[in-house]
Amino acid sequence: AVDINAKAIIVASETGATARQIAKFRPQMPVVVLTGSASTARQSFGVLKGTKCTLLHSLEDTHGAISECIESFKRDGVASPGEAVVIVHGHTAQKGATNTMKIEY
């Protein structure tokens, strides 16, 4: 994220382990955690520095939530159209399934 000058990082995580791994490096850009677990949301919001959390009903369909999050970045002035946002998630909504990192502009 630093090398490509990303404006934000979005993490979809069931347990919050991936969010902890990213937050420990204290990135200068905002980190948003998308989760379906209320306890993970509380931990991410209260314990992890520089993170915000969004509680979802399920992580089965994260594409809509990710698109909505990117649009809110554009509305709030965090990122402009054409600027990079890093997304970290898994293809299945289960513990230990984070296996994908992609960059959207």
Side-chain angles (χ1 to χ4, degrees):
V2 173
D3 292 342
I4 62 167
N5 196 24
K7 298 301 177 186
I9 301 173
I10 300 172
V11 182
S13 179
E14 190 69 36
T15 63
T18 304
R20 284 190 293 279
Q21 292 293 320
I22 290 173
K24 78 177 181 180
F25 291 104
R26 304 276 195 254
Q28 296 301 309
M29 68 280 302
V31 177
V32 176
V33 181
L34 304 176
T35 185
S37 167
S39 64
T40 300
R42 284 191 301 273
Q43 290 172 4
S44 296
F45 188 71
V47 177
L48 302 180
K49 299 284 186 187
T51 63
K52 296 177 183 169
C53 195
T54 301
L55 186 60
L56 305 174
H57 294 292
S58 170
L59 286 179
E60 290 295 327
D61 181 32
T62 57
H63 296 293
I66 290 170
S67 297
E68 196 174 299
C69 194
I70 291 172
E71 288 303 315
S72 74
F73 288 152
K74 291 176 184 176
R75 272 194 316 271
D76 298 341
V78 174
S80 300
E83 292 182 321
V85 174
V86 174
I87 301 157
V88 181
H89 65 95
H91 286 296
T92 59
Q94 64 184 20
K95 181 179 176 181
T98 303
N99 60 2
T100 305
M101 180 189 75
K102 62 183 178 179
I103 302 166
E104 288 197 12
Y105 292 92

